[in-house]
Amino acid sequence: MFVRKPKIKYMSTLDGTNDSIILTVKHGRGDLRQEPMQQYETESHVTFSIKGQKVYSAIDESYGSPTYEKLIRRHYPTTEQVILTDALAEYRKAMMQENTTFSELLEVNEMLFCLLESGNYRVSLKKIFPTYGETHVFSQFSTEKILKASVDLYYEWLDNASVYMDSCVRFMLPTQGKELIAEKTLEDYRKKPFLGRGVVLGYIGFLGCLLDGHHKATVAYERQQALECLVIEKLEQKKVIEPITPEKLVEEVFFNGRTAQLPTVEDYCYIRYLMEERTITTHEKMLLLCEQVIKEQVVLQEGQLDCLFSYCQVFTERELPRLYQLAKKYQYKDIRYSYFEKLSSVGNSEQVDEIMLDYLIYDEYDNLSVTKICDEYFERVL
């Protein structure tokens, strides 16, 4: 049977951002496809598969993907194996060099793009943390350190109107088991200042599959830092997209997101909880609520106020110092602890210094947990 050769076309972005590009796959081989979330009784569990073969299942923490090279070779005809050997060598070289351009990364990943289903995909260069809130995911590969759950939380404009907070906070899931992690390779990566890049395919909620870069991700986990990854996401957009010019394609793409002290999944859920509780759908309305709370025109319950702290930490750090007097006078010590924990994460400034010092004088070491946060803050910044 005659099979058409896959074709890759690069298109302009839908939203004008400069950290991603849209590509169209025609006559794709369809070997890489994202499975929908599956239901097990009353709970939802994430399952990813490659051409029907499970590569990750949250219900039993199982991994089933081969190494990246085996994955590529497995799905290409035998006649193309010699070509693939050279292509994979170029791929490894480009993914490891820090100065590789975005267009070069696209070029060396075309053999992977051809394995996708036909359709439109967003390809981005993102820094993603190798954890999704559970310490056992990457710590099973390394016991050196425990990485606190972190997210690259983002939002997007829809039709230039209200801001919709998407559920896609970004984490990578390993798809290869511990038996494929070689200690010697880990040692080699530990000596490198730049770890290179991984490849993440598809998202269900906030979880994506790490197809390549498990050794890099393990060392990134040990260093408690994000790993730069080429992220491939299937697009369901129906809008018209236009082919991109070669001049535009050769421009480098940079990561624009935050990577320092990002919120936990729990914090993220708090934000969603507060917005749903008060039927808030835009950032403008959240900022208005924050202003009303500061002026004590609106009184929030303890849990809702904690949610507001989380929101400010993620989206508007400048509002956190303005909430100090409210947090100080609040009768619950847990609220003060939550406030100072988030305030200490936004970075040092003269305003934050004054708040930390003022609280140490005010508190008179009555709330030891908050005192410790303040002391650690000054140890860090002085």
Side-chain angles (χ1 to χ4, degrees), residues 61 63 130-132 134-141 172-174:
E61 288 288 328
Y63 314 102
T131 173
Y132 69 106
E134 299 294 337
T135 58
H136 59 274
V137 174
F138 271 85
S139 61
Q140 71 157 322
F141 302 123
M172 62 174 73
L173 290 171

Side-chain angles (χ1 to χ4, degrees), residues 33-38 46-52 203-204:
R33 57 185 68 180
Q34 177 179 309
E35 296 295 319
M37 184 175 290
Q38 297 186 3
V46 178
T47 299
F48 283 92
S49 69
I50 296 178
K51 203 175 182 180
Y203 273 91
I204 296 177

Side-chain angles (χ1 to χ4, degrees), residues 337 360 365 367-377 379:
Y337 178 84
L360 285 175
Y365 294 89
N367 192 338
L368 294 180
S369 58
V370 176
T371 299
K372 183 179 179 182
I373 292 176
C374 296
D375 288 340
E376 290 177 346
Y377 170 82
E379 288 176 5

Side-chain angles (χ1 to χ4, degrees), residues 303-319:
Q304 292 178 327
L305 187 59
D306 199 9
C307 296
L308 186 63
F309 294 159
S310 295
Y311 177 84
C312 291
Q313 179 192 23
V314 179
F315 290 106
T316 174
E317 291 179 350
R318 67 181 181 276
E319 300 295 333

Side-chain angles (χ1 to χ4, degrees), residues 15 24 45 51 82 91 101 107 124 140 158 188 220 249 267 277 282 304 308 314 338 344 354 361 373:
D15 51 13
T24 295
H45 292 282
K51 203 175 182 180
V82 175
Y91 164 83
T101 65
E107 183 179 355
S124 312
Q140 71 157 322
L158 294 184
D188 291 339
L249 180 58
D267 290 330
E277 278 285 299
T282 68
Q304 292 178 327
L308 186 63
V314 179
S338 174
S344 68
E354 291 176 357
I361 297 171
I373 292 176

